[in-house]
Amino acid sequence: MRYRLLSAIAFSAATKLAEAAPAAASYDYIVVGSGPGGGPLAADLARAGYSTLLIEAGGDEGDNPTYADIGNFNEAANDETTRWDFWVKHSDDPARELKFEHTTWDTGDGTFYVGLDPPEGAKHLGIQYPRAAVLGGCAMHNAAVCALPAEDDWNIIVKKTGDTSWSADNMRKYLTKIERNEYLPAGNPDHGYDGWLATTVGDASWAKNSSLPAVKILQKLASLTGQDPSNVAQLVNTDILENVANVDEKVSFYNMATHSDSKGKRNSPNNYVRATVADPAKYPLTVQLHTLVTKVIFDNATLSTKPRAIGVEVLEGASLYKADPKHDSSAAPPAPTQILAKREVIISGGAFNSPQLLKLSGIGPKDELTKFGIPVVKHLPGVGENLGDNYEGSLLAMGEAPVEAGLTTLLFRTPNAPDKRRNIYTWCGAFSFEGFWPGFPTYHGPTQYTCAMVHMQPKSQAGTVKLRSANPQDVPDINFRFFEKNGDQDLSELVEAGKLLRKAVAAASDTFVGPFEEKHPCPGKLGEEGCADAVQKEYYKTQAYSHHATSTCAIGADDDELAVLDSKFRVRGVAGLRVVDASAFPVVPGAFPSCPTMMISAKAAEDIIAEAKGKSI
């Protein structure tokens, strides 16, 4: 398959953010990155009265319908206006890498080839992992799914650090703090109604029509997971952000929540940052767009004791990072400039760019830094290690007629899960989602039907983010090392999940939409036995994909050599420097990290402001 490079047509937002430039030589706080971690944090700090500079490598597309209308999320993720392409590996085995069906190649003529039979002379790129360089970060191009981690994903930080403020019970308050719930009556104590983040759900009334083939699938799913098939119309409206006892062991249908409003508009850190800048209270927030941070600056006088961060070095201009498909490799980079922070520098570049920036600044494994001639400020071997992600896959089938209905969302536990927690988040409907590549997704026709799934509690977090050079414009070397640790267990769980979903979809085979022809993972007539577990395992091993990278600057215990941060997001061994984004999670937080990252952003703001005011934290 060939895909032409998208044209670089920028949407110009009419906002003073586009004109933003540093208004002062220094700020109380500098926040690098405007995504779910950095954007809300910068706004909170400014609203607390601290002069704050928020630096973003991309522009502002908050008024662009491609990003503002949540239904356009596939177009947003493909849009060259904001897209950064990271070409990643899933393993150290080159032969295995070339089995990934959506491997991408640069043909050299302005097009990508996606597939297993590239044209002669094509350059192998790898597996596309799109990120968003835009005000609001990846919360501006994702599907905006809002879900919470398992309680143990919060409590693990308590166990590692002894900091009880990370308990699941306490972390719930950050959801209620940031949320502006638009789907439940006001007064529910488990939700917030005055925050900056709108949440809503879809219309699930279709489930009341028992004659629909999709309802037959729904009823079969209920039967297979111990729910009442006669009550599915009510079950599908269960609140997915509910706060009930033993919620992580509850197998249930849910109505998928998104961080968008009831009018179908995306709601993200972009909205909160822009509202803060525009507020008549004149909060001291400055937003500097199209600026690439190249390193953190340290006070030379403190290098021999405890190095203190005092600012950042930046390159000003658009498309300076080589992940940007609009980057001009023939152009000389602009001269670097420096911006100073009176209190702290906070890095919120995400799981790929935060460890890269730390390493470029001299914080990371000393052997790797020395290899590229980077002076070592602090040897922290965990920087760029522990990269984790959810495994994702899908069951895709083609019917005889369209399966007309909305989404079915189900959280369930496979029989072979190692504990009582549910381990699969699935959503089924008349769509196609098979991972990421230039031009995704493939439209297989009006009769396509997919059950996509996210595997929770992955047992392997063996990936790495390593420097390719000391050039801050270069993209790091990213290897997820899928299934390297306890891989057979994770693969077995994916296989069992696929079996359950196959049985459910087959329940509609005797209606006008059937029979179904399965395209993957077991090509052939849906429901027929004949695809061995080993075959399915091999499929998931070579074709699993992901887009929830976390944990490369993980919070950990004082005696953990690989811990990068303490429980207050402070980079160990230095002063005046924190990391606040998804890279801080020690483990992948549930099925979707966007809302959990916004929650820890609110927690970080609370911690930082308390420390600034001299309060005990």
Side-chain angles (χ1 to χ4, degrees):
M1 294 179 287
R2 286 179 179 266
Y3 297 91
R4 185 158 298 281
L5 290 168
L6 302 176
S7 61
I9 301 175
F11 186 95
S12 178
T15 168
K16 67 179 180 178
L17 296 182
E19 304 167 0
S26 66
Y27 300 82
D28 289 326
Y29 295 98
I30 295 174
V31 180
V32 181
S34 67
L41 174 58
D44 283 344
L45 292 174
R47 286 171 180 263
Y50 297 99
S51 63
T52 304
L53 174 65
L54 176 62
I55 301 177
E56 167 56 50
D60 176 19
E61 300 296 327
D63 294 329
N64 184 341
T66 299
Y67 301 86
D69 297 342
I70 194 64
N72 295 331
F73 63 89
N74 282 335
E75 290 82 358
N78 275 293
D79 189 6
E80 242 187 38
T81 304
T82 68
R83 200 184 75 228
W84 275 4
D85 291 331
F86 292 88
W87 304 104
V88 307
K89 297 189 286 285
H90 284 170
S91 74
D92 289 315
D93 181 356
R96 174 176 149 189
E97 294 299 286
L98 292 177
K99 293 179 181 178
F100 188 72
E101 293 177 0
H102 296 114
T103 297
T104 303
W105 311 72
D106 181 355
T107 63
D109 64 0
T111 64
F112 293 118
Y113 171 83
V114 179
L116 304 179
D117 187 23
E120 185 176 354
K123 177 185 176 183
H124 179 244
L125 295 173
I127 300 165
Q128 189 194 39
Y129 204 111
R131 303 278 83 184
V134 65
L135 185 67
C138 290
M140 288 294 286
H141 79 171
N142 63 5
V145 179
C146 190
L148 297 178
E151 292 185 350
D152 283 349
D153 293 343
W154 297 124
N155 293 333
I156 190 174
I157 301 178
V158 180
K159 294 175 183 176
K160 285 177 174 289
T161 67
D163 185 344
T164 57
S165 70
W166 281 95
S167 70
D169 287 343
N170 189 60
M171 291 304 298
R172 181 81 193 194
K173 74 181 183 185
Y174 297 108
L175 173 67
T176 61
K177 181 176 182 179
I178 67 175
E179 186 186 22
R180 187 174 76 250
N181 187 286
E182 296 190 1
Y183 65 90
L184 289 173
N188 185 319
D190 296 328
H191 288 276
Y193 296 86
D194 302 312
W196 60 266
L197 186 72
T199 59
T200 191
V201 295
D203 180 7
S205 61
W206 62 269
K208 297 177 181 178
N209 186 350
S210 60
S211 66
L212 289 176
V215 175
K216 289 187 176 293
I217 296 172
L218 191 62
Q219 291 170 336
K220 185 63 173 180
L221 278 171
S223 177
L224 291 169
T225 57
Q227 300 178 80
D228 182 358
S230 67
N231 195 36
V232 293
Q234 288 71 45
L235 291 171
V236 294
N237 275 309
T238 305
D239 177 18
I240 200 166
L241 302 178
E242 66 180 353
N243 185 22
V244 297
N246 301 314
V247 65
D248 299 324
E249 298 175 16
K250 179 179 178 180
V251 173
S252 180
F253 294 117
Y254 290 98
N255 200 333
M256 180 187 286
T258 58
H259 51 87
S260 60
D261 66 23
S262 56
K263 296 179 181 179
K265 296 296 183 180
R266 179 184 297 276
N267 205 258
S268 81
N270 179 287
N271 303 80
Y272 190 35
V273 169
R274 288 169 57 137
T276 302
V277 171
D279 197 291
K282 299 188 182 300
Y283 296 117
L285 176 62
T286 300
V287 180
Q288 185 168 343
L289 304 174
H290 297 301
T291 301
L292 180 68
V293 177
T294 60
K295 69 178 179 180
V296 177
I297 304 166
F298 292 91
D299 182 355
N300 288 332
T302 65
L303 291 178
S304 62
T305 53
K306 187 173 186 178
R308 180 167 190 84
I310 58 170
V312 294
E313 184 177 276
V314 304
L315 302 177
E316 297 184 44
S319 303
L320 293 174
Y321 194 54
K322 293 181 182 178
D324 190 325
K326 305 181 299 299
H327 175 77
D328 182 359
S329 59
S330 66
T337 57
Q338 295 185 345
I339 310 171
L340 300 181
K342 288 175 279 191
R343 289 183 175 272
E344 292 186 8
V345 173
I346 302 156
I347 299 174
S348 301
F352 300 156
N353 291 106
S354 286
Q356 180 184 20
L357 184 53
L358 284 180
K359 290 180 179 182
L360 291 170
S361 306
I363 300 174
K366 60 183 179 182
D367 290 345
E368 183 179 354
L369 304 183
T370 301
K371 174 183 176 182
F372 296 111
I374 299 171
V376 178
V377 173
K378 177 62 181 178
H379 170 57
L380 278 183
V383 175
E385 302 296 311
N386 196 49
L387 173 63
D389 211 329
N390 301 112
Y391 297 121
E392 298 183 55
S394 63
L395 181 143
L396 172 62
M398 303 298 295
E400 293 295 312
V403 182
E404 296 178 352
L407 284 180
T408 295
T409 301
L410 170 69
L411 273 72
F412 69 97
R413 177 187 180 276
T414 60
N416 60 345
D419 54 46
K420 294 181 179 180
R421 294 178 297 171
R422 53 201 183 183
N423 58 334
I424 301 293
Y425 183 124
T426 189
W427 62 105
C428 303
F431 62 90
S432 168
F433 181 46
E434 302 163 276
F436 299 89
W437 61 90
F440 85 96
T442 297
Y443 178 62
H444 296 279
T447 68
Q448 64 186 12
Y449 191 83
T450 295
C451 285
M453 57 182 172
V454 172
H455 177 258
M456 298 182 287
Q457 291 95 49
K459 267 62 77 182
S460 182
Q461 291 203 181
T464 57
V465 177
K466 295 187 178 295
L467 296 178
R468 295 184 191 272
S469 76
N471 183 350
Q473 294 179 277
D474 282 345
V475 179
D477 182 12
I478 302 163
N479 189 336
F480 281 90
R481 295 189 172 84
F482 275 6
F483 305 109
E484 188 164 298
K485 296 180 180 177
N486 302 301
D488 191 67
Q489 174 64 37
D490 283 338
L491 287 167
S492 295
E493 291 174 36
L494 288 168
V495 169
E496 289 302 312
K499 288 180 179 179
L500 184 144
L501 297 173
R502 184 175 296 111
K503 290 177 182 177
V505 177
S509 290
D510 60 355
T511 71
F512 67 91
V513 301
F516 286 94
E517 189 76 12
E518 184 173 340
K519 292 186 73 70
H520 61 67
C522 294
K525 187 176 179 181
L526 186 95
E528 287 188 349
E529 297 296 332
C531 187
D533 285 5
V535 173
Q536 295 179 68
K537 282 185 180 180
E538 179 64 15
Y539 174 83
Y540 289 119
K541 185 174 183 178
T542 58
Q543 305 306 321
Y545 48 90
S546 67
H547 64 304
H548 303 151
T550 70
S551 309
T552 49
C553 299
I555 293 171
D558 291 343
D559 60 355
D560 181 358
E561 184 185 28
L562 295 181
V564 177
L565 310 176
D566 68 10
S567 67
K568 304 301 181 185
F569 305 93
R570 294 174 292 217
V571 177
R572 292 182 174 277
V574 300
L577 183 62
R578 303 188 203 228
V579 176
V580 181
D581 58 28
S583 70
F585 290 108
V587 296
V588 181
F592 294 90
S594 188
C595 279
T597 303
M598 296 180 211
M599 292 166 65
I600 69 169
S601 178
K603 184 184 193 309
E606 183 178 274
D607 290 343
I608 294 167
I609 292 167
E611 185 171 314
K613 292 181 177 180
K615 296 179 181 179
S616 175
I617 58 173

